[in-house]
Amino acid sequence: MLKKLLIHTRKSMKLIILIAIALLLILGVISSFYKVSYSVNINGELVGYTDDKSKLQALINDYIERGEEENTAFVQVDNLPEYNMCLLKKDVSSNDNEIINSIKDDGTTYYRYYAILENQEEKIYVSNFTEAEDIVNQLKQKSSSNIETITISEKYETNLANMTTVEEAVSQLFVAPKDVLVASTNTKDSNSKNTNTKKSTGTANVSSNTSLGKVNLGVSLVRPVSGVISARFAENSSIRRSSHTGLDIAASTGTPVVAAASGKVTFSGWKGSYGNMMVITHSNGVQTYYAHCSKLYFDAGATVSQGQVIGTVGSTGNSTGPHLHLEIRVNGVAYNPQNYLY
């Protein structure tokens, strides 16, 4: 009995070894003619193959974030690639460049630049905020008689305007001061975007505490306003003292702002650089902040429903143009709104 078992075991081992050798030979033959690759599909259509999907996706992400042209804010791409592992003949080359070009053909580039306005009419365009600020400061130093009507607006457009140098802009905008014959009867604050301030009610935590992580809010949110994202979470800028604690959505002045979720208004009114701001407290320590508004429709203590209009877009406080500054805070810590919206 034992002898038969040993003979059977020996035969089985030989069979296993023969199968293993056969598999190795088959794999060897396959590896001689094929390689592991990834098929790339965009919107359900095969556009090519890549040998390194991580490298390709990193190039695509970099293009979306930076674009290729000067003053690019970001590139909006609606259809991102999908990858599937496959065996590809070795004589078939990957076509990463063609795939990226397909992404570029489908992308919409948004440019960021700045307009100098006189009496709310766009006159001059410059590449960055530093140049815009320099133009205003030089006009102030020259005592230009129109300085009270000069403002700066941040622009996000799919077409890039013609840029002007600082020197040319100052020359075009400068108006020599006239002799003062009659005392001015215009008592309106020159910074007209801040004149519609609202008396503050309630309290708000505006600390710079932020987290790049993501937590479960336990609250369903809707977009408070539609528009173009003009500044992202945690960005640094010359117009801020710390990294950005929220998300900026550019929209026209007066655009309705709705509550992202139901809750209780715990702050409403003027809050320094935030301008006119409302804070809505939801459950689980979650709060949403709506800043730079031109109008606020509720005081602290009011209860609002999800989707209810609570104010309108404006440019109050430390703002270079009409937009909504949205923050999502959990127990006082600001989290990236794009983890939950937009």
Side-chain angles (χ1 to χ4, degrees):
M1 183 68 181
L2 179 60
K3 184 176 180 181
K4 288 182 178 180
L5 180 61
L6 290 172
I7 293 172
H8 179 71
T9 301
R10 186 179 300 169
K11 289 181 177 179
S12 297
M13 289 298 296
K14 286 182 178 179
L15 180 61
I16 292 172
I17 292 171
L18 287 173
I19 292 173
I21 292 172
L23 287 174
L24 288 173
L25 289 173
I26 292 171
L27 290 174
V29 171
I30 291 174
S31 63
S32 298
F33 296 97
Y34 294 89
K35 61 182 176 180
V36 176
S37 185
Y38 295 88
S39 63
V40 183
N41 295 273
I42 297 178
N43 200 23
E45 181 181 348
L46 178 66
V47 294
Y49 299 91
T50 180
D51 296 333
D52 190 339
K53 69 173 184 178
S54 297
K55 181 180 178 181
L56 175 60
Q57 189 60 50
L59 291 172
I60 293 171
N61 292 341
D62 184 68
Y63 170 70
I64 292 173
E65 290 292 329
R66 303 173 185 273
E68 293 182 313
E69 301 176 64
E70 189 176 356
N71 288 97
T72 297
F74 63 93
V75 180
Q76 181 177 313
V77 175
D78 295 328
N79 299 305
L80 291 175
E82 296 179 355
Y83 304 94
N84 294 297
M85 184 180 291
C86 63
L87 288 176
L88 190 66
K89 286 186 177 181
K90 284 192 172 182
D91 59 353
V92 178
S93 301
S94 59
N95 58 332
D96 290 19
N97 290 335
E98 292 179 14
I99 294 170
I100 292 176
N101 287 334
S102 297
I103 295 290
K104 292 178 180 178
D105 291 340
D106 186 50
T108 302
T109 300
Y110 283 85
Y111 301 96
R112 179 186 351 218
Y113 56 96
Y114 292 83
I116 308 296
L117 294 80
E118 182 179 7
N119 288 318
Q120 301 304 312
E121 181 182 352
E122 296 178 4
K123 296 289 188 180
I124 300 293
Y125 301 100
V126 292
S127 295
N128 54 66
F129 181 76
T130 300
E131 291 181 348
E133 194 174 40
D134 190 15
I135 291 167
V136 174
N137 289 335
Q138 288 194 39
L139 290 172
K140 286 181 180 179
Q141 292 171 6
K142 292 175 176 289
S143 299
S144 180
S145 63
N146 63 344
I147 189 60
E148 300 298 328
T149 67
I150 300 296
T151 55
I152 301 171
S153 176
E154 191 172 35
K155 304 285 292 180
Y156 284 84
E157 304 289 347
T158 55
N159 293 312
L160 186 61
N162 293 325
M163 300 294 114
T164 305
T165 66
V166 173
E167 293 74 17
E168 291 173 343
V170 172
S171 175
Q172 291 181 40
L173 292 171
F174 176 72
V175 178
K178 299 178 181 179
D179 293 335
V180 179
L181 301 177
V182 182
S184 173
T185 59
N186 182 9
T187 58
K188 184 179 180 181
D189 186 343
S190 61
N191 191 5
S192 60
K193 68 178 183 178
N194 292 338
T195 57
N196 293 322
T197 59
K198 185 179 186 297
K199 183 179 179 181
S200 300
T201 56
T203 59
N205 174 7
V206 291
S207 70
S208 58
N209 293 335
T210 60
S211 173
L212 297 178
K214 180 180 180 180
V215 295
N216 183 13
L217 300 180
V219 176
S220 175
L221 303 178
V222 298
R223 293 184 179 186
V225 71
S226 296
V228 176
I229 295 174
S230 55
R232 299 179 187 273
F233 181 78
E235 278 188 358
N236 292 311
S237 170
S238 60
I239 63 174
R240 303 186 192 96
R241 294 181 179 178
S242 59
S243 60
H244 201 207
T245 53
L247 185 72
D248 288 351
I249 304 100
S252 301
T253 298
T255 300
V257 177
V258 304
S262 301
K264 183 177 181 180
V265 178
T266 49
F267 179 85
S268 180
W270 186 261
K271 195 65 175 179
S273 61
Y274 283 82
N276 288 328
M277 180 178 75
M278 184 179 292
V279 177
I280 301 176
T281 298
H282 315 285
S283 57
N284 305 323
V286 178
Q287 293 180 307
T288 49
Y289 288 49
Y290 312 81
H292 303 309
C293 295
S294 56
K295 294 179 182 179
L296 300 172
Y297 293 146
F298 296 95
D299 293 326
T303 299
V304 296
S305 303
Q306 185 177 59
Q308 185 173 2
V309 177
I310 58 172
T312 57
V313 170
S315 187
T316 56
N318 185 11
S319 170
T320 58
H323 70 280
L324 175 70
H325 171 86
L326 172 68
E327 290 188 14
I328 296 176
R329 290 182 180 252
V330 181
N331 297 321
V333 178
Y335 289 84
N336 186 357
Q338 284 195 279
N339 285 333
Y340 312 99
L341 292 169
Y342 297 97

